[in-house]
Amino acid sequence: MALTMNDVNRFEASRPRLEAIAYRLLGSASEAEDAVQETFLRWQAADVDHIEVPAAWLTKVLTNLCLNQLTSARARRETYVGQWLPEPLLAGDPMLGPADTAEQRESVSYAVLTLLERLSPNERAVYVLREAFDYPHREIAEILDITEAASQQIFHRAKKHVAEGKARTEIDEAAAQRIVEEFLAAATSGRTEPLVRLLTQDAVAIGDGGGKVPARAKAFEGALAVAKFMRGLFKPGTAKRALVGGSPEIHATTANGDPAIVAVLDGRVIGVMCLQVTAEGIAASRNQVNPDKLERATQRWAAAVHGEPLLNAF
């Protein structure tokens, strides 16, 4: 049956929520958009007049599409070149979804999205629907075709796994700006000591180049190792300028709610470094440089107003 304009509008009203769910489930904005579009095609083919609760129907269809995607994604990531990190979303991106509670903000943080990769598809779905969107276990059970008791057990297990990661500290935009400025000042000082003081003893640095941009396959571990890496990363050099095609501008912003450093060259985002801040200091630096995962960031950057760069790298 052909959809009426009212049917299309009903779907479009749900699109932001569906995209936010899909992004948290998949860790990829482009894959989330594809899943939502496939959900629309299913909506288009359905007898929508007989769907009693469209929002619930759409969520169920989308979630199951994402579960199928997650199963196949696991196989693909086994052959992924180097570390796999989620696609970062810059400040103001509507795909970040609801941010009214600490749980909602944390559920889309870069650190949690990385931790969610350790969960089974069902654990990830239950965690996202419950923690980020406050679905009752009864509805989650209907979406996943499991019992309500099973949903509660899965959620408890998933939350325990996520809680094993280092707790992040809530940061507002002004604090994020200060953290990034202090971090960059230390990283460009030419000395490791200022950076070591900002980092936790067990800090890690991880990069995702996807085999397209050089990125170390193994994470740097420990404050001294991370500090040495950062000092080298921000040290000027003609080889680095040749590699990226120029001297990128370095800006401070937030990505997935975390303080972030954005490298921009000729209007194109070529790197996003998310800093995980805890009460003890910066616990992790996760650097996304895979160009396939920076297309949406580039679009968002072009549509926003920015101040002067903090520095020009390399």
Side-chain angles (χ1 to χ4, degrees), residues 10-175:
R10 282 195 293 172
F11 180 86
E12 291 303 323
S14 293
R15 183 183 289 275
R17 178 179 57 84
L18 295 175
E19 287 189 344
I21 291 173
Y23 171 70
R24 283 169 168 81
L25 288 176
L26 301 173
S28 165
S30 58
E31 290 180 4
E33 289 175 336
D34 290 344
V36 172
Q37 185 57 28
E38 180 60 30
T39 302
F40 175 73
L41 295 177
R42 303 286 179 94
W43 173 253
Q44 192 175 39
D47 186 355
V48 297
D49 290 336
H50 289 84
I51 296 176
E52 293 183 6
V53 186
W57 187 93
L58 290 169
T59 302
K60 182 179 179 71
V61 170
L62 174 81
T63 301
N64 283 283
L65 286 170
C66 288
L67 288 176
N68 291 337
Q69 180 76 4
L70 280 172
T71 301
S72 61
R74 287 193 164 213
R76 290 200 310 274
R77 286 170 195 170
E78 287 179 2
T79 59
Y80 192 82
V81 178
Q83 299 278 344
W84 186 96
L85 290 175
E87 182 176 345
L89 297 182
L90 300 185
D93 194 314
M95 199 176 278
L96 288 169
D100 299 324
T101 67
E103 291 78 11
Q104 289 173 336
R105 292 189 292 274
E106 186 174 51
S107 72
V108 79
S109 72
Y110 217 54
V112 167
L113 285 179
T114 303
L115 285 170
L116 291 182
E117 288 295 307
R118 304 178 185 177
L119 304 183
S120 71
N122 260 21
E123 286 174 336
R124 187 163 183 164
V126 171
Y127 180 86
V128 166
L129 292 172
R130 179 64 183 161
E131 192 79 345
F133 296 90
D134 203 27
Y135 276 80
H137 284 290
R138 174 182 53 79
E139 291 185 24
I140 295 173
E142 292 174 359
I143 290 170
L144 298 177
D145 293 324
I146 57 178
T147 66
E148 188 171 344
S151 177
Q152 292 170 338
Q153 291 171 356
I154 291 170
F155 176 68
H156 178 74
R157 188 166 63 242
K159 194 165 185 177
K160 183 179 178 181
H161 285 316
V162 172
E164 289 172 358
K166 195 179 292 288
R168 76 193 266 271
T169 300
E170 287 273 318
I171 299 292
D172 61 25
E173 288 190 19

Side-chain angles (χ1 to χ4, degrees), residues 201-284:
Q201 287 188 344
D202 58 350
V204 297
I206 306 168
D208 178 352
K212 299 187 176 184
V213 173
R216 180 180 159 118
K218 190 176 184 297
F220 291 92
E221 299 180 352
L224 184 58
V226 172
K228 288 180 177 179
F229 164 66
M230 291 298 170
R231 186 185 65 183
L233 180 65
F234 286 98
K235 185 178 181 180
T238 55
K240 293 176 186 174
R241 288 193 292 272
L243 178 65
V244 301
S247 183
E249 297 179 339
I250 303 299
H251 294 262
T253 185
T254 60
N256 295 75
D258 295 322
I261 298 167
V262 178
V264 183
L265 183 65
D266 298 329
R268 179 171 53 89
V269 174
I270 63 170
V272 177
M273 180 183 292
C274 294
L275 302 178
Q276 181 185 350
V277 180
T278 70
E280 292 77 34
I282 297 173

